[in-house]
Amino acid sequence: MKICMIGTGYVGLVSGACFADLGNTVWCVDKNKQKINMLNNNKIPIFEPGLKELVYKNYTSGRLKFTPDLSLGVKNSDIVFICVGTPTSEKNRSAELKYVFGAANELASYINKFKIIVTKSTVPVCTGDKIEKIILKKKQKRLFEVISNPEFLREGEAIRDFRFPDRIIVGSNNKKATKKLESLYEPLIKKGAKFLSTNRRGAEIIKYASNAFLATKISYINEIANLCEKTGVNVEDVSIGIGLDQRIGGRFLRPGPAYGGSCFPKDTKAITVTGDLFKTNLSIIKAVIKSNEKRRKFLTKRVVKILSNKVKNKKITFLGVTFKPNTDDMRQSSSLLMVPFLLKKGAKITYYDPSGKKKEFSNHKNLLFCNNINDACNKADLLIIHTEWEEFKALDFKKLSRNKKFMIFDMRNLYSVESMKKKGFKYYSIGR
Ligand SMILES: NC(=O)c1ccc[n+]([C@@H]2O[C@H](COP(=O)([O-])OP(=O)(O)OC[C@H]3O[C@@H](n4cnc5c(N)ncnc54)[C@H](O)[C@@H]3O)[C@@H](O)[C@H]2O)c1
């Protein structure tokens, strides 16, 4: 099939490359010319394992193309995916839809024959109706169909998630368009992905309801971890104990820092705004948002407590600053609150993250990026394992601490309490 992806970010680039790999011809369009130049020069603007190889393979085969020219992408395609960002609005907590509506308005000008317009961006219920209205101002109804196909891939696991999704959701009010999407996804359905078709609004709600549910699970276990800490219980036993109930399931029950990233924080906020708009109080999700905001402060205070309230001139090392491993995404990472807070209190911070130096931390004094773990840990008083990258899972603490025996705050429970005690480290973790 001939496909156009509007927006070549995490979602547009990964799904574009994967669609091309399935044998389709894919035009990836982005307004950001620098991004397109990079891609045309075999450089990948984001950190995503396996993506460079996949893009290279399909680019050289001619199936994957990059252009800033939307007309080229739309005119040469039968299916056009809108994959632009929907960040939190600056005015309130709703989803900012100006990029989606902007893309709809622009693409409408280039509809030269029947097209299926697919919203892959995460958008509030009824947005498809609005996109349809925008396009109707320029083109007749017989020339297009607007449908919803939300994306569930996770950064860091994006290619695997695209190839082996639990489910593919298509929301459409038109059977022919649904069939077309089903045949586009046929190779994945054959490998076991469940295909669910619903109406357009249904698919829009499924996406938000899924993310809000996962965010709820994280906040839930984080609060249970707090109770475990007070009662001498190991939260890991509790996670396993409740997760074995198939009605609950064991995933997303690992406590840690507040949830972050480009999706959960913005999507939980946006769905509560949609609820209010339709006079429906989504009180559980509102409570989750509050709980998560408290979590950020709670763990920051805990760091201060570990240092016995003496933060000034303490050398703190962060291992990992991204919101999760295998991504360079810093959006809403809890390190964005912790690091500046501790600096303000007089700490001297070094950090190492496998995805590299962070522009978010470029304007701070007493904050240094090191390009290896060893240098980052040099002379540390406190080591904070913030993100669970693979390379932090088997550290030789004795060697790293150079016998200074720094304290360790393992926010991801990567190590066993017993073994750290045996090694003689003051070791703190979550819910244990
Ligand atoms: N990142 C994820 O893990 C993830 C997962 C599932 C769903 N989503 C959703 O997918 C959507 C995209 O997310 P993302 O993380 O890929 O965003 P992103 O910010 O990484 O990329 C969006 C891209 O769209 C481009 N763009 C904006 N307007 C454009 C236009 N009119 N024409 C061409 N390009 C345009 C931007 O330049 C940018 O490169 C969001 O709604 C997000 O909620 C994201």
Side-chain angles (χ1 to χ4, degrees), residues 410-422:
D410 177 1
M411 293 186 180
R412 302 290 179 168
N413 290 354
L414 297 186
Y415 293 88
S416 108
V417 178
E418 303 263 293
S419 76
M420 294 309 290
K421 215 184 220 173
K422 267 191 208 148

Side-chain angles (χ1 to χ4, degrees), residues 6-12 29-32 35 83-86 99 102-103 106 120-122 151-155 207 262-263 266-267 331:
I6 307 182
T8 309
Y10 285 91
V11 167
V29 182
D30 206 290
K31 267 194 170 352
N32 184 333
K35 228 179 224 187
C83 309
V84 300
T86 48
Y99 305 108
E106 286 165 47
K120 220 178 218 325
S121 297
T122 303
E151 183 52 60
F152 297 96
L153 59 77
R154 292 164 299 169
E155 286 172 21
K207 174 64 193 177
S262 66
C263 294
K266 83 172 172 64
D267 293 347
R331 289 178 275 188

